[in-house]
Coordinates of all heavy atoms in Angstrom, one line a residue:
M1 N 0.8 -1.2 0.0 CA 0.0 0.0 0.0 C 0.9 1.2 0.0 O 1.7 1.4 0.9 CB -0.9 0.0 1.2 CG -1.9 1.0 1.3 SD -3.0 1.0 2.7 CE -4.0 -0.4 2.4
N2 N 0.7 2.1 -1.0 CA 1.5 3.3 -1.0 C 0.9 4.5 -0.2 O -0.2 4.3 0.3 CB 1.8 3.7 -2.5 CG 0.6 4.1 -3.2 OD1 -0.4 4.7 -2.6 ND2 0.5 3.9 -4.5
K3 N 1.5 5.6 -0.2 CA 1.1 6.7 0.6 C -0.3 7.2 0.1 O -1.2 7.5 1.0 CB 2.1 7.9 0.5 CG 1.7 9.1 1.3 CD 2.7 10.2 1.2 CE 2.2 11.3 2.1 NZ 3.1 12.5 2.0
M4 N -0.5 7.2 -1.2 CA -1.8 7.7 -1.7 C -3.0 6.7 -1.3 O -4.0 7.2 -0.9 CB -1.8 7.8 -3.2 CG -0.9 9.0 -3.7 SD -1.4 10.6 -3.1 CE -2.8 10.9 -4.0
E5 N -2.7 5.4 -1.3 CA -3.7 4.5 -0.9 C -4.0 4.6 0.5 O -5.1 4.5 1.0 CB -3.2 3.0 -1.3 CG -3.1 2.8 -2.8 CD -2.5 1.4 -3.1 OE1 -1.5 1.1 -2.4 OE2 -2.9 0.8 -4.1
L6 N -2.9 4.8 1.3 CA -3.1 4.9 2.8 C -3.9 6.1 3.1 O -4.8 6.1 3.9 CB -1.7 5.0 3.4 CG -1.7 4.9 5.0 CD1 -2.3 3.6 5.5 CD2 -0.2 5.0 5.5
E7 N -3.6 7.2 2.4 CA -4.4 8.5 2.7 C -5.9 8.3 2.2 O -6.8 8.7 2.9 CB -3.8 9.6 1.9 CG -2.5 10.1 2.5 CD -1.8 11.2 1.7 OE1 -2.5 11.8 0.8 OE2 -0.7 11.6 2.0
G8 N -6.1 7.6 1.1 CA -7.4 7.3 0.7 C -8.2 6.4 1.7 O -9.4 6.7 2.0
K9 N -7.5 5.4 2.2 CA -8.1 4.6 3.2 C -8.5 5.4 4.4 O -9.6 5.2 5.0 CB -7.2 3.4 3.5 CG -7.8 2.4 4.4 CD -8.7 1.6 3.5 CE -9.1 0.3 4.2 NZ -10.2 -0.4 3.5
W10 N -7.6 6.3 4.9 CA -7.9 7.1 6.0 C -9.1 8.0 5.8 O -9.9 8.1 6.7 CB -6.6 7.9 6.4 CG -6.9 8.9 7.5 CD1 -6.9 10.2 7.4 CD2 -7.2 8.6 8.8 NE1 -7.2 10.8 8.7 CE2 -7.4 9.8 9.5 CE3 -7.4 7.4 9.5 CZ2 -7.8 9.8 10.9 CZ3 -7.7 7.4 10.9 CH2 -7.9 8.6 11.5
K11 N -9.2 8.5 4.6 CA -10.4 9.4 4.3 C -11.7 8.6 4.3 O -12.7 9.1 4.8 CB -10.2 10.0 2.9 CG -9.1 11.1 2.9 CD -9.0 11.8 1.6 CE -7.9 12.8 1.7 NZ -7.7 13.5 0.4
Q12 N -11.6 7.3 3.9 CA -12.8 6.5 4.0 C -13.2 6.2 5.4 O -14.3 6.3 5.8 CB -12.5 5.1 3.3 CG -12.4 5.2 1.8 CD -12.1 3.9 1.2 OE1 -12.1 2.8 1.8 NE2 -11.7 3.9 -0.1
V13 N -12.2 5.9 6.3 CA -12.4 5.7 7.7 C -13.0 6.9 8.3 O -14.0 6.8 9.1 CB -11.1 5.2 8.4 CG1 -11.3 5.2 9.9 CG2 -10.7 3.9 7.9
K14 N -12.4 8.1 8.0 CA -13.0 9.4 8.6 C -14.4 9.5 8.2 O -15.2 9.9 9.0 CB -12.2 10.6 8.1 CG -10.8 10.8 8.7 CD -10.2 12.1 8.4 CE -10.2 12.6 7.0 NZ -9.4 13.8 6.7
G15 N -14.7 9.3 6.9 CA -16.1 9.5 6.4 C -17.1 8.6 7.1 O -18.2 9.0 7.5
K16 N -16.7 7.3 7.3 CA -17.5 6.3 7.9 C -17.8 6.7 9.4 O -18.9 6.6 9.9 CB -16.9 4.9 7.8 CG -17.0 4.4 6.4 CD -16.4 3.0 6.4 CE -16.4 2.5 4.9 NZ -15.8 1.2 4.8
F17 N -16.8 7.2 10.1 CA -17.0 7.6 11.5 C -17.9 8.8 11.5 O -18.7 8.9 12.4 CB -15.6 7.8 12.2 CG -15.1 6.6 12.9 CD1 -14.3 5.7 12.3 CD2 -15.5 6.4 14.2 CE1 -13.8 4.6 12.9 CE2 -15.0 5.3 14.9 CZ -14.2 4.4 14.2
K18 N -17.7 9.7 10.6 CA -18.5 10.9 10.6 C -20.0 10.6 10.4 O -20.9 11.2 10.9 CB -18.0 11.9 9.6 CG -16.8 12.7 10.0 CD -16.5 13.7 9.0 CE -15.4 14.6 9.4 NZ -15.0 15.6 8.3
Q19 N -20.2 9.6 9.5 CA -21.6 9.2 9.2 C -22.2 8.4 10.4 O -23.3 8.7 10.7 CB -21.6 8.2 8.0 CG -21.3 8.9 6.7 CD -21.1 7.9 5.5 OE1 -21.4 6.7 5.7 NE2 -20.6 8.4 4.4
K20 N -21.4 7.6 11.0 CA -21.9 6.8 12.1 C -22.1 7.6 13.4 O -23.1 7.4 14.1 CB -21.0 5.6 12.4 CG -21.5 4.6 13.4 CD -20.7 3.4 13.5 CE -21.3 2.4 14.4 NZ -20.5 1.1 14.5
Y21 N -21.2 8.5 13.6 CA -21.2 9.3 14.8 C -21.2 10.8 14.4 O -20.2 11.4 14.2 CB -20.0 9.1 15.7 CG -19.8 7.6 16.0 CD1 -18.8 6.8 15.4 CD2 -20.6 7.0 17.0 CE1 -18.7 5.5 15.7 CE2 -20.5 5.7 17.3 CZ -19.5 4.9 16.7 OH -19.3 3.6 17.0
G22 N -22.4 11.3 14.2 CA -22.6 12.7 13.7 C -21.9 13.7 14.4 O -21.6 14.8 13.9
K23 N -21.6 13.5 15.7 CA -21.0 14.5 16.5 C -19.5 14.6 16.3 O -18.8 15.5 16.9 CB -21.3 14.2 18.0 CG -22.7 14.4 18.3 CD -23.0 14.2 19.8 CE -24.5 14.4 20.1 NZ -24.8 14.2 21.5
V24 N -18.9 13.6 15.6 CA -17.5 13.7 15.3 C -17.2 14.8 14.3 O -17.8 14.9 13.3 CB -17.0 12.3 14.7 CG1 -15.5 12.4 14.2 CG2 -17.2 11.2 15.6
T25 N -16.3 15.7 14.7 CA -15.9 16.9 13.9 C -14.6 16.7 13.2 O -13.8 15.8 13.5 CB -15.9 18.1 14.8 OG1 -14.8 18.0 15.7 CG2 -17.1 18.3 15.6
D26 N -14.3 17.6 12.3 CA -13.0 17.6 11.7 C -11.9 17.8 12.7 O -10.8 17.3 12.6 CB -12.9 18.7 10.6 CG -13.7 18.4 9.4 OD1 -13.9 17.2 9.1 OD2 -14.1 19.3 8.6
D27 N -12.2 18.6 13.7 CA -11.2 18.8 14.8 C -10.8 17.5 15.5 O -9.7 17.2 15.8 CB -11.7 19.8 15.8 CG -11.7 21.2 15.3 OD1 -11.0 21.5 14.3 OD2 -12.4 22.1 15.9
D28 N -11.9 16.7 15.7 CA -11.6 15.4 16.4 C -10.8 14.5 15.5 O -9.8 13.8 16.0 CB -13.0 14.6 16.6 CG -13.9 15.4 17.6 OD1 -13.3 16.0 18.6 OD2 -15.1 15.3 17.4
V29 N -11.1 14.5 14.2 CA -10.3 13.7 13.3 C -8.9 14.2 13.1 O -7.9 13.4 13.1 CB -11.0 13.7 11.9 CG1 -10.2 12.9 10.9 CG2 -12.4 13.0 12.0
T30 N -8.7 15.5 13.1 CA -7.4 16.1 13.0 C -6.6 15.7 14.2 O -5.4 15.4 14.2 CB -7.5 17.6 12.8 OG1 -8.2 17.9 11.6 CG2 -6.1 18.2 12.7
Y31 N -7.2 15.8 15.4 CA -6.6 15.4 16.6 C -6.1 14.0 16.6 O -4.9 13.6 16.9 CB -7.5 15.6 17.8 CG -6.9 15.2 19.2 CD1 -6.1 16.0 19.9 CD2 -7.3 13.9 19.7 CE1 -5.5 15.6 21.1 CE2 -6.7 13.5 20.9 CZ -5.9 14.4 21.6 OH -5.3 14.0 22.8
S32 N -6.9 13.1 16.1 CA -6.5 11.7 15.9 C -5.4 11.5 15.0 O -4.5 10.7 15.2 CB -7.7 10.8 15.4 OG -8.8 10.9 16.4
E33 N -5.4 12.2 13.9 CA -4.3 12.2 12.9 C -3.0 12.6 13.6 O -1.9 12.0 13.4 CB -4.5 13.0 11.7 CG -5.6 12.5 10.8 CD -5.9 13.5 9.7 OE1 -5.5 14.7 9.7 OE2 -6.7 13.1 8.8
G34 N -3.1 13.7 14.4 CA -1.9 14.2 15.1 C -1.4 13.2 16.1 O -0.2 13.0 16.3
K35 N -2.3 12.5 16.8 CA -1.9 11.4 17.8 C -1.2 10.3 17.1 O -0.2 9.7 17.5 CB -3.0 10.9 18.6 CG -3.6 11.9 19.5 CD -2.6 12.5 20.5 CE -2.5 11.8 21.8 NZ -1.5 12.4 22.7
F36 N -1.7 9.9 15.9 CA -1.1 8.8 15.1 C 0.4 9.3 14.7 O 1.3 8.5 14.8 CB -1.9 8.5 13.9 CG -1.3 7.4 13.0 CD1 -1.4 6.1 13.5 CD2 -0.7 7.7 11.8 CE1 -0.8 5.1 12.7 CE2 -0.2 6.6 11.0 CZ -0.3 5.3 11.5
D37 N 0.5 10.5 14.2 CA 1.8 11.0 13.8 C 2.8 11.0 15.0 O 3.9 10.7 14.9 CB 1.7 12.4 13.2 CG 1.1 12.4 11.8 OD1 1.1 11.3 11.2 OD2 0.7 13.5 11.4
E38 N 2.2 11.4 16.2 CA 3.0 11.4 17.4 C 3.5 10.0 17.7 O 4.6 9.8 18.1 CB 2.2 12.0 18.6 CG 2.9 12.0 19.9 CD 2.1 12.6 21.0 OE1 0.9 12.9 20.8 OE2 2.6 12.6 22.1
M39 N 2.6 9.0 17.6 CA 2.9 7.7 17.9 C 4.0 7.2 16.9 O 5.0 6.6 17.4 CB 1.7 6.7 17.7 CG 2.1 5.3 18.0 SD 0.8 4.1 17.5 CE 0.9 4.2 15.7
L40 N 3.9 7.5 15.7 CA 4.9 7.2 14.7 C 6.3 7.8 15.1 O 7.3 7.1 15.0 CB 4.6 7.6 13.3 CG 3.6 6.7 12.6 CD1 3.2 7.3 11.2 CD2 4.1 5.3 12.4
G41 N 6.3 9.0 15.5 CA 7.5 9.7 15.9 C 8.2 9.0 17.1 O 9.4 8.8 17.1
R42 N 7.3 8.6 18.1 CA 7.9 7.9 19.2 C 8.5 6.6 18.8 O 9.5 6.2 19.3 CB 6.8 7.7 20.3 CG 6.5 9.0 21.0 CD 5.4 8.8 22.0 NE 5.0 10.1 22.6 CZ 4.7 10.3 23.8 NH1 4.6 9.3 24.6 NH2 4.3 11.5 24.2
L43 N 7.8 5.8 18.0 CA 8.3 4.6 17.5 C 9.6 4.7 16.7 O 10.5 3.9 16.9 CB 7.2 3.9 16.6 CG 6.0 3.3 17.4 CD1 4.9 2.8 16.4 CD2 6.4 2.2 18.3
Q44 N 9.6 5.8 15.9 CA 10.9 6.0 15.2 C 12.0 6.2 16.1 O 13.1 5.7 15.9 CB 10.7 7.3 14.3 CG 10.1 7.1 13.0 CD 10.1 8.4 12.2 OE1 9.3 9.3 12.5 NE2 11.1 8.6 11.3
E45 N 11.8 7.0 17.1 CA 12.8 7.4 18.1 C 13.3 6.1 18.9 O 14.5 5.9 19.1 CB 12.2 8.4 19.1 CG 13.2 8.8 20.2 CD 12.6 9.8 21.1 OE1 11.7 10.6 20.7 OE2 12.9 9.8 22.3
K46 N 12.4 5.2 19.2 CA 12.7 4.1 20.0 C 13.3 2.9 19.2 O 14.1 2.1 19.7 CB 11.5 3.6 20.8 CG 11.1 4.6 21.8 CD 10.2 4.1 22.8 CE 9.8 5.2 23.8 NZ 10.3 5.1 25.1
T47 N 12.8 2.8 17.9 CA 13.2 1.7 17.1 C 14.3 2.0 16.1 O 15.0 1.1 15.6 CB 12.1 1.1 16.3 OG1 11.6 2.1 15.3 CG2 11.0 0.6 17.2
G48 N 14.5 3.3 15.8 CA 15.4 3.7 14.7 C 15.0 3.5 13.3 O 15.7 3.6 12.4
K49 N 13.7 3.1 13.2 CA 13.1 2.8 11.8 C 12.5 4.1 11.2 O 12.1 5.0 12.0 CB 12.1 1.7 11.9 CG 12.6 0.4 12.3 CD 11.5 -0.7 12.3 CE 12.1 -2.0 12.7 NZ 11.1 -3.1 12.6
S50 N 12.4 4.1 9.9 CA 11.8 5.2 9.2 C 10.3 5.1 9.3 O 9.7 4.1 9.6 CB 12.2 5.3 7.8 OG 11.6 4.2 7.1
K51 N 9.6 6.2 9.1 CA 8.1 6.2 9.1 C 7.6 5.2 8.1 O 6.6 4.6 8.3 CB 7.6 7.6 8.8 CG 7.5 8.6 9.9 CD 6.7 9.8 9.6 CE 6.7 10.7 10.8 NZ 5.9 12.0 10.5
E52 N 8.2 5.2 6.9 CA 7.8 4.3 5.9 C 7.9 2.8 6.3 O 7.0 2.0 6.1 CB 8.6 4.5 4.6 CG 8.3 5.8 3.9 CD 9.0 7.0 4.6 OE1 10.0 6.9 5.3 OE2 8.4 8.1 4.4
E53 N 9.0 2.5 7.0 CA 9.2 1.1 7.5 C 8.1 0.8 8.5 O 7.5 -0.3 8.5 CB 10.5 1.0 8.1 CG 11.7 1.0 7.2 CD 13.0 0.9 7.9 OE1 13.3 1.9 8.7 OE2 13.8 0.0 7.7
L54 N 7.8 1.7 9.4 CA 6.8 1.5 10.4 C 5.4 1.4 9.8 O 4.6 0.6 10.3 CB 6.9 2.7 11.5 CG 8.1 2.7 12.3 CD1 8.2 4.0 13.1 CD2 8.1 1.5 13.3
K55 N 5.1 2.2 8.9 CA 3.8 2.2 8.2 C 3.6 0.8 7.5 O 2.5 0.2 7.6 CB 3.6 3.3 7.2 CG 3.3 4.6 7.9 CD 3.1 5.7 6.8 CE 2.9 7.1 7.5 NZ 2.7 8.1 6.5
K56 N 4.7 0.3 6.9 CA 4.6 -1.0 6.2 C 4.3 -2.1 7.3 O 3.6 -3.0 7.1 CB 5.9 -1.3 5.5 CG 5.9 -0.6 4.2 CD 7.2 -0.9 3.4 CE 7.4 0.0 2.2 NZ 8.6 -0.3 1.5
E57 N 5.0 -2.0 8.4 CA 4.8 -2.9 9.5 C 3.4 -2.9 10.0 O 2.8 -3.9 10.3 CB 5.8 -2.6 10.6 CG 6.5 -3.8 11.2 CD 7.6 -3.5 12.2 OE1 8.6 -2.8 11.8 OE2 7.4 -3.9 13.4
I58 N 2.9 -1.7 10.2 CA 1.5 -1.5 10.7 C 0.5 -2.1 9.7 O -0.5 -2.8 10.1 CB 1.2 0.0 10.9 CG1 2.0 0.4 12.2 CG2 -0.3 0.2 11.2 CD1 2.0 1.9 12.3
E59 N 0.7 -1.9 8.4 CA -0.2 -2.5 7.4 C -0.2 -4.0 7.4 O -1.3 -4.5 7.0 CB 0.3 -2.0 6.0 CG 0.1 -0.5 5.7 CD 0.8 -0.1 4.4 OE1 1.3 -0.9 3.7 OE2 0.9 1.1 4.2
T60 N 0.8 -4.6 7.8 CA 0.9 -6.1 7.8 C 0.3 -6.7 9.0 O 0.2 -7.9 9.1 CB 2.3 -6.6 7.5 OG1 3.1 -6.2 8.5 CG2 2.8 -6.1 6.2
L61 N 0.0 -5.9 10.0 CA -0.6 -6.5 11.3 C -2.0 -6.9 11.1 O -2.7 -6.5 10.3 CB -0.5 -5.4 12.4 CG 0.9 -5.0 12.8 CD1 0.9 -3.9 13.9 CD2 1.7 -6.2 13.3

């Protein structure tokens, strides 16, 4: 899965959550994206792996 596919998948997930939970706002989604980026940063720091390597690992879980 490349970056564009991953972004597309994320947009689908965001849309489904917004449909299911009408009170979910763009701010909530942006906050979640930020937390995911923060988690990737921490994993990078602790493992020494690149974001791309970590994303590939996450995709295969």
Side-chain angles (χ1 to χ4, degrees):
M1 186 178 288
N2 66 31
K3 183 179 178 181
M4 293 299 289
E5 291 171 326
L6 190 58
E7 287 177 12
K9 190 70 165 171
W10 175 245
K11 287 180 184 181
Q12 288 176 15
V13 169
K14 283 193 313 189
K16 286 180 183 179
F17 267 91
K18 283 182 173 182
Q19 288 172 12
K20 188 170 182 178
Y21 305 104
K23 293 181 182 181
V24 173
T25 66
D26 285 334
D27 288 342
D28 296 324
V29 174
T30 301
Y31 177 80
S32 296
E33 289 173 351
K35 292 305 269 182
F36 181 73
D37 288 340
E38 180 182 1
M39 179 193 71
L40 281 177
R42 288 179 186 214
L43 288 171
Q44 275 184 281
E45 184 179 322
K46 294 192 183 253
T47 64
K49 294 183 178 183
S50 70
K51 276 189 179 181
E52 291 75 26
E53 289 174 302
L54 291 167
K55 285 181 181 180
K56 284 181 186 177
E57 225 175 295
I58 290 168
E59 290 169 10
T60 61
L61 295 177

